[in-house]
Amino acid sequence: MLINVTTFFRDPDSLEYLKKTLLPGILKTKNETNPLRIWVPACSTGEEAYSLAIILMEILGERYASIPIQIFATDLSELAIAKARLGLYSRNDLINVSPKRLQRFFTKIDGSYRISKAIRDIVVFAPHNVFKDPPFSRLDLVSCCNVMIYLDTVLQKKIIATFHYSLNNKGYLILGKSETIGASGQLFTQVEKKFKIYARKNDAASKAIFEMNYRLPEVQRSEHLHARRNVPREQTAPQKDLEKVVDDLLLSKYIPATVLVNQELEILQFRGEVSTFLEPAPGKASLNLLKMAKQGLAFELRSAVHKVNKSNQPFKKSGLEIKTKGGLQQVSIEVLPLPSETEEKLCVIIFEELFANMELIESSRASSKDKMVKRLQDELAALKEDMRSIVEEQEASNEELQSANEEIVSTNEELQSINEELETSKEEVESSNEELMTINTELQIRNEQLAESYEYAEAVFDTIQEAVILLDKDLRIKTANKAFYSIFQAREETTEGILIYELGHRQWDIPALRELLQETIPNESQFQNREIRHTFGGIGEKVLLLSGRRIIQKIHRQQLILLAIQDVTEHKQAQRLVNEREAWFRNMADNAPVMIWVADRNKQRNFFNRTWLEYTGRKLDAEIGDGWKSSVHEADRDRCLNTYNAYFDDRKAYVLDYRLLRGDGKYRWIQETGKPDFSADGNFAGYIGSCIEIHDKRMMHDELEQLVKRRTQDLEEMNKELQRSNSELKQFAYVASHDLQEPLRKIMTFADRLQSHKDSLPEAQRKYIDKIGVSSQRMTRLIDDLLNFSRTARNDNGFTRTSLNKVVKDLLVDFDLVISQKHAVIDIGKLPSLQAIPLQMEQLFHNLISNALKFSKSSVPPVIKINSRALTAEELAEYKELQPSLKYHEVVIADNGIGIDPEFAEQIFEIFQRLNDREQFPGMGIGLALCRKIVNNHNGIIFARSLGNEGTAFYIILPVTQPVNN
């Protein structure tokens, strides 16, 4: 009877210990050439083996490919092995598998779960009888949980020895919680008591014990077992227990010194006090009878056991002497054969002391030497008899060996013949093996392809956007994809196995669906794109396109129905909206006061509104495509089409004027605007254009262009005349200023001569001479100012890098006398270096400093401060006259003089404008006009700020570099 009781991760605590402690330690000793080998005997349907493989995969992680893993899983049941190889389990079989492991190591197929290919590849399943078939070897771990509880003591000892043989020197054995190694403690030592994990002892001698005999036929086995079960019980349990107690008591006190040995003379059991006859031998521990026997007994014990094994009759020998602490001791030995159910021969050896000590023997010897001689003669005779028997046996053995040798020679000849036949068979086997390997490789490739197909189909099934469900022949849902659960808000546990009409509180009990599944499918095997409209609770109305197909599996002949459900609710709503929008657009376009057309991606116009058709007087069929081109004026047609095609290819908007034939036969100017049209996803859809008549506007525009052209010519002639007049005026002012200096110098010369005769002239005449001198000096200053102003107006563009600090310091030399007379203080800060005309910068600062000294308060020493700073972008934005692309510096010249009225702050920069009495503050009113002219020549601005009698500040803003077009 085979018992299949197993689950995934059956003992979580023990497996956790393996994962965290035992297996990582074993894996540290492994590499690419040294694989990890594990044996799982009695694996049933493979859950325990797969559990170990999953744990190893989790431990190794990404390193799983670097260490070869071989897990051998065996069982007596070929049906269980076949299911394990398939690796397909139900949801109930995986109750102990966590969701994370389920997702990583399993693939869902038709409501069941298949173990992943990576796990399946490292587990090898095979039918195997652990008691009779040869075991595996060089193993690192044997996991045999909950098997030994079904075995008797003999089989337990046998299977433990087999595991000891299979494991390598550092191998481990795992048993179930209710199991132990029993009497095999010399083979294993316990590592972890809680989890029943044992390590192999390397100093223990063991061998795998397995039978190579044939199994009994099933009928004989059942009769044999039946006979054993029907043996009558001799006594009742209470009476048998009482007798056992009495026997145990008597045996414990009166049993002689006895040992049980096997045919190799290994001691299996001790009875009574044997220390008088046996003692441990020095060196390696051993239970061999001959090594433990005291001196004088080893030869006799070997001879006695040999006789008993040969004759299967009891043997007893007395008068043997051994040395004890008290002297010599006479003993006797008796060897009895012991019946055994196995083929192994067992013997019971009984030791007996004949005398208490040797003193009595010595006294007896003195009186009975004859008896001693007789006893020795008897022993010698016995030895001769034994020797004769041994010689006869030796001769018989020699004859048997001679006969065996002849048989061996004959057998050797037969073996040579057989060997030749085997060589031939070997070649045939090798050829067959190669064919099998080729077939096996092809089968493995097909299995891998099949696994990939399963994975691909599963991935497609879960990835497609359409809802798909699989029904069995009874219309019950076997499985559904993720899209179905998402669209219809269903859950897997309440869906699979349910009749489709009962799904969702019978929401799917739709007459149209019943008709398709119960009538169309049986008759036609499939249907495509059948539309149904239904209202689902909690979801609302849905418009569905159903497609179904009947599938009959070739292997199991199972009938299935594949039902694809496409939710087209949003598509229907969008289509209705598009239709409504299209109708609205056509209605709007037909009622628009402008002509509208639409072209597709191939430049063919496929729509003209009513306004276009009424304007041209043509039908829609005559206009669509390229028909509209015939209405374009022949002189404008090529230009119109070239522009239309060029912008269409570049997908750019355009505006085009051309003449179009109106319905009354007249060509009228129209203006056409075309724009590319793109869909919501950015794909080019064509062009949309509109046209308006601009004939009257075009005619008026042509007339205006003629008028503008004539007026432009008149302005150009006037501008040339003005430039000529301006040039003549500048030349006149320059020449006049130079021509006025000659008579003025003569007046000043004659006035100076009159000054030398001033004392001889009357008082009135002296006053006239003084006035002539003063007027001459004023006239000189006026002419100089006019010359300077004229030079500034000409602007010879001599810009160079100019340091304003140097300009100001050089000018102050000219004002030394005035500064000392008025005790003036001039504070000069750090001034910038600019791209400027040095001479004009000297004139600018000369006039401003001169004015600051001139218009000072009579009782207050003048204080003049000259500073500068760079303007920020925000400050520069306040001055619209300046260019934002340039960097500017602001220079401030402030004084504490008489100041000016704020309302005249702009007027003072006009030529010949004066605000003060000429007698008190002499001047011609040209200096500040000259300053503004200089600043304008440098693309800057100048302005003044004053609070009346508190002084005046002049602000000069100049660019660091001049514009390129200056």
Side-chain angles (χ1 to χ4, degrees), residues 523-534:
N523 296 329
E524 302 179 12
S525 298
Q526 63 179 354
F527 57 86
Q528 296 288 335
N529 298 328
R530 299 294 182 89
E531 181 178 321
I532 65 173
R533 189 181 297 269
H534 185 68

Side-chain angles (χ1 to χ4, degrees), residues 564-747:
I565 307 170
Q566 183 179 1
D567 183 7
V568 295
T569 307
E570 295 182 357
H571 175 72
K572 288 291 184 180
Q573 294 174 352
Q575 186 177 9
R576 184 174 65 252
L577 182 61
V578 168
N579 294 335
E580 293 175 355
R581 290 293 178 88
E582 185 176 352
W584 173 82
F585 171 76
R586 289 184 177 273
N587 184 44
M588 181 191 69
D590 286 339
N591 294 311
V594 298
M595 294 177 281
I596 299 175
W597 55 265
V598 178
D600 60 19
R601 291 181 296 177
N602 298 320
K603 304 179 184 178
Q604 300 295 310
R605 296 187 180 182
N606 52 25
F607 172 77
F608 293 91
N609 70 338
R610 186 187 304 160
T611 306
W612 176 285
L613 299 177
E614 290 177 352
Y615 185 85
T616 59
R618 291 159 61 92
K619 299 295 184 179
L620 179 62
D621 294 340
E623 294 291 279
I624 60 174
D626 293 331
W628 63 278
K629 298 177 183 178
S630 61
S631 299
V632 180
H633 195 284
E634 186 176 359
D636 301 334
R637 189 174 300 159
D638 292 340
R639 177 178 56 84
C640 175
L641 294 179
N642 290 337
T643 303
Y644 176 75
N645 292 328
Y647 279 90
F648 206 102
D649 293 337
D650 294 338
R651 298 179 183 179
K652 294 181 180 179
Y654 68 90
V655 178
L656 174 65
D657 295 348
Y658 61 88
R659 284 168 287 183
L660 184 68
L661 183 62
R662 197 166 63 180
D664 57 1
K666 296 180 180 179
Y667 283 98
R668 307 283 289 180
W669 281 99
I670 67 169
Q671 185 178 79
E672 179 177 285
T673 302
K675 292 184 178 181
D677 181 31
F678 296 92
S679 61
D681 54 0
N683 293 325
F684 177 67
Y687 262 72
I688 297 177
S690 62
C691 302
I692 58 173
E693 183 180 323
I694 59 169
H695 189 80
D696 296 337
K697 184 179 179 181
R698 179 67 178 255
M699 296 297 102
M700 185 181 297
H701 180 265
D702 292 343
E703 294 177 1
L704 287 175
E705 281 189 347
Q706 294 297 328
L707 291 174
V708 169
K709 187 180 294 184
R710 289 195 296 269
R711 182 60 58 86
T712 301
Q713 292 175 354
D714 294 341
L715 288 174
E716 288 177 353
E717 292 177 359
M718 293 175 63
N719 190 31
K720 291 178 181 178
E721 184 66 25
L722 183 60
Q723 289 179 353
R724 187 170 55 255
S725 299
N726 191 27
S727 177
E728 291 175 354
L729 285 173
K730 288 181 179 179
Q731 187 176 3
F732 171 77
Y734 182 76
V735 173
S737 298
H738 284 76
D739 292 344
L740 287 174
Q741 286 182 348
E742 181 60 27
L744 184 58
R745 281 195 293 270
K746 291 182 179 180
I747 293 172

